[in-house]
Amino acid sequence: DVKVTQSSRYLVKRTGEKVFLECVQDMDHENMFWYRQDPGLGLRLIYFSYDVKMKEKGDIPEGYSVSREKKERFSLILESASTNQTSMYLCASSLRGGFNEQYFGPGTRLTVT
Amino acid sequence: KQEVTQIPAALSVPEGENLVLNCSFTDSAIYNLQWFRQDPGKGLTSLLLIQSSQREQTSGRLNASLDKSSGRSTLYIAASQPGDSATYLCAVHGSSNTGKLIFGQGTTLQVKP
């Protein structure tokens, strides 16, 4: 069965803290993605990676960075958390290529106070 | 720029009713379209993926159709049940080979017992 896991379901951090969100997939997928989901704005792509150590900016990369040291793990980093980064963060993965089915993790609800 | 629209934003039906959810997109040059289900506070579950060369896909009580020329997809749910209550999202893979999905805002379905 397809499995994408995220390190935390809920997270509360303070403004200015460095925050790490972890995503792990066990399907040997090459592509991994980070989205954020906000009411009224829908899902927006932050960053994606199509191979180890490779990364590409999505639509809203500002304030975020990513790391992919191993194929199964893709980390999203908030260098200095701000209140406008309070959101639901969703990780996804898919096979190599641009048009394969994406599988999502359970999400991390991040609150920055 | 590709835009995906789902109307209505919310729908309430009695149990047992057959229903159709709508998804439209502005650029017909898509590679595939994916339908997802999202329960409150949870991640996305992939329901169906329709390749651009296909007209429809079926999974159990779900049937998704795709008409690229008119920029429309529909998700048909037969014999609806209270457990079908959720938000349904459609997303398209555009012309770039990045795997980026462009999402609609979703339709929130409530099936009343």
Side-chain angles (χ1 to χ4, degrees):
Chain A
D1 232 7
V2 164
K3 198 80 182 272
V4 180
T5 58
Q6 294 182 230
S7 50
S8 305
R9 290 299 314 279
Y10 301 95
L11 210 52
V12 179
K13 295 292 181 180
R14 294 231 170 145
T15 302
E17 278 193 82
K18 190 169 186 176
V19 181
F20 293 86
L21 303 182
E22 303 284 338
C23 175
V24 176
Q25 50 91 7
D26 66 358
M27 298 162 285
D28 203 33
H29 284 171
E30 289 81 11
N31 296 344
M32 295 189 76
F33 308 85
W34 276 107
Y35 296 87
R36 64 178 281 178
Q37 184 178 30
D38 301 286
L41 296 175
L43 278 96
R44 294 176 291 168
L45 181 65
I46 305 171
Y47 266 99
F48 63 98
S49 168
Y50 51 86
D51 205 345
V52 175
K53 297 192 185 295
M54 305 301 287
K55 60 184 179 184
E56 294 284 342
K57 293 180 180 179
D59 297 320
I60 50 164
E62 297 79 19
Y64 302 95
S65 63
V66 290
S67 172
R68 191 154 180 214
E69 296 297 318
K70 293 185 178 182
K71 189 177 184 180
E72 67 271 18
R73 188 180 298 270
F74 192 34
S75 302
L76 180 69
I77 304 157
L78 286 66
E79 297 290 343
S80 177
S82 64
T83 55
N84 63 13
Q85 292 178 310
T86 291
S87 185
M88 170 70 108
Y89 290 88
L90 293 159
C91 174
S93 71
S94 71
L95 288 168
R96 185 184 303 281
F99 316 116
N100 291 302
E101 190 169 3
Q102 285 192 23
Y103 298 91
F104 280 75
T108 295
R109 170 72 65 184
L110 173 67
T111 302
V112 182
T113 61
Chain B
K1 178 187 172 187
Q2 178 74 271
E3 292 183 2
V4 181
T5 304
Q6 292 183 251
I7 295 173
L11 184 63
S12 180
V13 301
E15 181 177 5
E17 193 162 297
N18 302 326
L19 60 101
V20 174
L21 305 180
N22 297 299
C23 173
S24 61
F25 44 94
T26 54
D27 185 349
S28 62
I30 66 168
Y31 283 83
N32 62 33
L33 185 145
Q34 198 166 350
W35 280 95
F36 295 90
R37 169 187 171 134
Q38 185 175 31
D39 293 293
K42 302 286 179 65
L44 277 64
T45 300
S46 179
L47 297 174
L48 290 162
L49 174 76
I50 311 178
Q51 305 284 357
S52 62
S53 58
Q54 298 174 313
R55 299 277 304 181
E56 63 179 61
Q57 277 279 10
T58 298
S59 175
R61 292 183 295 109
L62 305 179
N63 176 277
S65 69
L66 175 63
D67 184 344
K68 281 181 59 178
S69 61
S70 68
R72 293 188 61 189
S73 176
T74 60
L75 180 66
Y76 174 83
I77 303 177
S80 58
Q81 303 170 358
D84 294 329
S85 298
T87 296
Y88 291 81
L89 295 149
C90 71
V92 301
H93 274 130
S95 56
S96 65
N97 190 25
T98 62
K100 175 182 173 180
L101 282 174
I102 301 165
F103 283 85
Q105 295 280 349
T107 295
T108 299
L109 172 66
Q110 182 185 31
V111 181
K112 296 180 179 179

